């Protein structure tokens, strides 16, 4: 069966690839021409896919069930090498069934869109194929990380951009780094002697961080995961109440800190959230920082989703008080549409990461090198091998400037407000919480005609719970759009629309509304 999608199937592999293997490519003798021809074929496949991804007439997804997809192509690994022709066929098949995350009607995740400069940077990064642990093997990338992290700290508001930071494999790891640093700051002996040397530690995060651990959650489940990984224990993560819009209540934080202290526990870490995953809520950072200062507790701001609003003069007030944090997580691969992955942990105190994590591996971090050893960043990371994530962000920042990112972010927030205004009073829609969304998250129920006038509230709730999953399944089967849904606390399944895709327009929002109504009309 032909596994090539429309637009991508127009150019078959040159006959020569049927007869060649990977051993005919560089570093083979006289392999340069074959390599150039092969890579040009790959680039042609990629270029066709990119153009197709932005075409609203194409599907967001060509959906097949897992057992079907396994049977449709030979995905098994074999002992003998495949021909280069087979390799190109595999490339086409992989993209045929991939989700087009660049599609203007793809709204399923917090990370959407495809930036052309970021993509070019990613290609260059893979071509350079180096490691971030020392200046000697990644001189330019190490310097770009230094420059960019300093700029991000300046935007947070730390004096002269002083402090430290690192790019990590996602927000969950950045948050765990913050917990690790907070524990080391309070009890440095834990590094050598372990958890038996310290009293019972407790961390605090909003209750929306931990609802529905196996569905989808607000803020970050990673606080519990980090506590488990660091030996602190999930039971040592205390949930703080939130208000109706999902913001942490500072008075409850203080109450729970006092309770913990009375039990003999040691509060060491508070994770406030700037942009929760589902509601898009921004915790009141100034009030939280006052509590943290009063009780000498490390204040971390999980800005994985909302941190990028610092780039917007119109919206950065939502993070007022972030400059008082000890650490901040910020994921440019979300609202800034930097290609995955790109997550930064920013730390106020310089040198703390190095002291916390360094192990003095002499085969990497020799002390008698002929350059400034502060640029050997590997010893302050938990990883040894670390992927180059910086170049995508840096090159996009050069291309757009800060004002370009600001315009992109403002546009996404404008689109979310447009959606909210269109559906808040529209027949068949109910908002999950009152008031204008704080971020691009718009949470709502769609009530098909068949359940709008049900008088039995429990029966209505039972039926409504099934609506979003059915509409989502139909979206995927038709391939027209994708948007996420989930329950939250006592609330049945609702749609969680998030907008971070720079390609989206007002017309795409209109399409989404009409498509939900079309797909749910008979429910």
């Amino acid at each position: 069966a032909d596994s090539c999608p429309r637009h991508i199937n127009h150019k078959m592999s040159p006959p020569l690839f049927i007869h060649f293997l990977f051993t005919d490519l560089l570093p083979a003798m006289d392999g340069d021409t074959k390599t150039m021809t092969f890579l040009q074929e790959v680039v042609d496949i990629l270029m066709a896919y990119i153009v197709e991804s932005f075409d609203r007439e194409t599907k967001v997804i060509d959906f097949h069930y897992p057992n079907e997809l396994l049977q449709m192509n030979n995905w098994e690994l074999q002992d003998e090498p495949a021909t280069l022709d087979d390799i190109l066929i595999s490339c086409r098949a992989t993209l045929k069934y991939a989700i087009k995350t660049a599609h203007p009607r793809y709204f399923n995740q917090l990370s959407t869109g495809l930036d052309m400069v970021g993509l070019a940077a990613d290609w260059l990064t893979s071509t350079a194929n180096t490691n971030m642990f020392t200046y000697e093997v990644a001189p330019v990338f190490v310097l770009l990380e230094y420059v960019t992290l300093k700029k991000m700290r300046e935007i947070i508001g730390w004096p002269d951009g002083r402090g430290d930071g690192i790019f990590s494999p996602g927000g969950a790891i950045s948050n765990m780094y913050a917990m690790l640093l907070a524990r080391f700051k309070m009890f440095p002996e834990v590094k050598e002697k372990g958890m038996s040397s310290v009293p019972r530690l407790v961390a605090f995060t909003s209750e929306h961080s931990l609802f529905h651990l196996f569905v989808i959650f607000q803020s970050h489940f990673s606080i519990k995961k980090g506590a488990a990984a660091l030996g602190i224990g999930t039971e040592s993560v205390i949930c703080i109440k939130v208000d109706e819009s999902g913001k942490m209540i500072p008075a409850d934080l203080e109450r729970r800190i006092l309770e913990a202290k009375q039990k003999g526990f040691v509060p060491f870490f508070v994770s406030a959230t700037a942009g929760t995953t589902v509601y898009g809520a921004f915790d009141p950072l100034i009030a939280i920082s006052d509590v943290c200062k009063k009780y000498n507790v490390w204040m971390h701001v999980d800005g994985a989703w909302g941190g990028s609003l610092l780039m917007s003069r119109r919206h950065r007030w939502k993070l007022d008080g972030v400059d008082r944090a000890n650490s901040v997580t910020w994921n440019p691969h979300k609202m800034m549409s930097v290609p995955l992955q790109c997550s930064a942990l920013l730390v106020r105190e310089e040198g703390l990461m190095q002291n916390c994590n360094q192990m003095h591996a002499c085969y990497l971090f020799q002390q008698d090198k002929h350059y400034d050893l502060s640029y050997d960043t590997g010893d302050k990371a938990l990883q040894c091998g670390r992927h180059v994530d910086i170049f995508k962000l840096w090159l996009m920042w050069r291309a757009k400037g800060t004002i370009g990112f600001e315009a992109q972010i403002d546009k996404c927030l404008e689109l979310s407000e447009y959606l909210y205004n269109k559906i808040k009073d529209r027949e068949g829609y109910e908002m999950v919480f009152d008031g204008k969304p704080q971020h691009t998250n718009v949470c709502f129920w769609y009530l098909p005609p068949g359940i709008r006038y049900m008088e039995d509230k429990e029966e209505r709730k039972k039926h409504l719970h099934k609506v979003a999953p059915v509409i989502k399944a139909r979206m995927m089967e038709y391939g027209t759009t994708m948007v996420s849904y989930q329950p939250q606390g006592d609330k049945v399944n609702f749609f969680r629309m998030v907008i971070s895709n720079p390609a989206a327009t007002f017309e795409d929002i209109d399409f989404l509304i009409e498509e939900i109504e079309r797909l749910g009309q008979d429910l």
Side-chain angles (χ1 to χ4, degrees), residues 131 133 166-170 173 177 341 357 364-365 377-387 389:
N131 198 315
F133 46 50
I166 202 163
F167 282 87
S168 79
I173 302 300
Y177 266 120
Q341 63 195 19
N357 297 323
L364 280 176
F365 308 112
T377 58
D379 215 10
K380 69 182 179 184
L382 290 176
Q383 304 161 257
C384 181
R386 191 160 65 89
H387 187 260
D389 293 327

Side-chain angles (χ1 to χ4, degrees), residues 28-318:
M29 289 289 290
D30 301 320
D32 50 346
T33 302
K34 295 186 187 78
T35 298
M36 293 288 285
T37 308
F38 171 72
L39 290 179
Q40 186 59 58
E41 281 294 312
V42 174
V43 169
D44 288 349
I45 291 168
L46 296 177
M47 293 301 292
Y49 178 78
I50 290 164
V51 171
E52 187 179 55
S53 293
F54 288 93
D55 182 356
R56 288 173 175 79
E57 296 302 311
T58 63
K59 291 183 175 184
V60 175
I61 175 177
D62 182 2
F63 178 76
H64 294 81
Y65 290 97
N67 60 326
E68 295 173 342
L69 197 51
L70 277 170
Q71 293 166 14
M72 288 173 70
N73 288 271
N74 178 15
W75 306 104
E76 296 300 318
L77 296 170
Q78 299 157 334
D79 292 334
E80 295 301 313
T83 68
L84 294 182
D85 190 63
D86 288 332
I87 297 304
L88 293 172
I89 288 169
S90 295
C91 289
R92 292 189 182 92
T94 300
L95 289 179
K96 172 176 169 58
Y97 302 113
I99 312 299
K100 292 183 178 66
T101 57
H103 198 289
R105 292 172 181 167
Y106 176 76
F107 303 106
N108 204 64
Q109 308 299 139
L110 304 183
S111 305
T112 61
L114 183 62
D115 186 273
M116 295 302 103
V117 174
L119 178 63
D122 219 2
W123 289 353
L124 186 147
T125 297
S126 292
T127 304
N129 191 33
T130 193
N131 198 315
M132 284 296 288
F133 46 50
T134 62
Y135 177 83
E136 70 181 274
V137 298
V140 177
F141 296 135
V142 165
L143 292 178
L144 296 184
E145 187 173 75
Y146 171 83
V147 166
T148 307
L149 288 171
K150 184 173 185 290
K151 180 72 171 177
M152 293 171 85
R153 292 192 298 267
E154 286 173 1
I155 290 171
I156 286 170
W158 293 336
D160 302 319
R162 288 195 298 271
D164 208 341
I166 202 163
F167 282 87
S168 79
I173 302 300
S174 292
N175 288 344
M176 188 175 76
Y177 266 120
M179 293 187 84
L180 183 68
L181 294 172
R183 183 179 66 177
F184 178 79
K185 176 70 175 174
M186 188 171 280
F187 295 104
E189 63 270 26
V190 75
K191 178 177 176 180
E192 294 179 356
K193 296 178 180 176
M195 286 298 291
S196 61
S197 68
V198 301
R200 169 78 180 271
L201 302 178
V202 286
F204 305 84
T205 191
S206 78
E207 62 184 6
H208 270 198
S209 305
L210 304 172
F211 275 153
H212 295 277
L213 210 52
F214 298 105
V215 187
I216 199 163
F217 10 68
Q218 299 249 52
S219 179
H220 241 287
F221 69 101
S222 59
I223 303 305
K224 267 202 169 183
K225 282 204 170 187
L230 296 175
I232 293 163
T234 58
E235 289 182 0
S236 295
V237 178
I238 296 173
C239 302
I240 306 304
K241 289 179 181 176
V242 297
D243 64 19
E244 209 173 75
S245 63
K247 298 179 182 182
M248 184 190 288
I249 300 172
D252 192 57
L253 171 63
E254 183 165 20
R255 181 179 69 85
R256 299 306 298 269
I257 287 175
L258 287 170
E259 276 181 10
K261 288 168 76 73
Q262 285 164 6
K263 291 175 183 176
F265 303 156
V266 178
F268 83 107
F269 181 82
V270 171
S271 179
T273 311
T276 55
T277 308
V278 181
Y279 282 8
F282 289 81
D283 288 341
L285 301 182
I286 293 173
I288 290 169
S289 71
D290 287 341
V291 175
C292 291
K293 186 177 181 182
K294 183 175 179 179
Y295 296 101
N296 194 30
V297 180
W298 181 287
M299 178 185 169
H300 175 64
V301 174
D302 178 0
W305 174 223
S308 297
L309 269 62
L310 287 168
M311 306 286 277
S312 167
R313 284 166 291 186
R314 192 184 305 170
H315 296 284
R316 70 166 287 138
W317 63 268
K318 296 170 186 177

Side-chain angles (χ1 to χ4, degrees), residues 345-415:
L345 175 74
L346 294 312
V347 183
R348 179 201 283 271
E349 184 177 332
E350 199 168 354
L352 186 64
M353 290 192 80
Q354 190 79 11
N355 293 335
C356 178
N357 297 323
Q358 68 182 350
M359 291 294 165
H360 304 288
C362 59
Y363 69 96
L364 280 176
F365 308 112
Q366 302 90 342
Q367 296 304 296
D368 52 1
K369 291 183 180 180
H370 62 291
Y371 58 81
D372 184 347
L373 296 179
S374 68
Y375 291 103
D376 282 359
T377 58
D379 215 10
K380 69 182 179 184
L382 290 176
Q383 304 161 257
C384 181
R386 191 160 65 89
H387 187 260
V388 176
D389 293 327
I390 181 57
F391 193 61
K392 300 169 290 191
L393 172 58
W394 180 85
L395 201 65
M396 284 175 64
W397 209 324
R398 291 280 277 199
K400 295 172 187 283
T402 306
I403 60 168
F405 275 127
E406 178 182 41
Q408 178 180 313
I409 290 161
D410 286 350
K411 178 195 166 193
C412 288
L413 281 140
E414 192 180 345
L415 288 175

Side-chain angles (χ1 to χ4, degrees), residues 9-24:
N9 190 26
H10 69 282
K11 183 175 180 182
M12 297 306 293
S13 312
L16 74 97
F17 288 126
I18 297 170
H19 308 294
F20 291 108
L21 303 172
F22 80 99
T23 48
D24 294 298

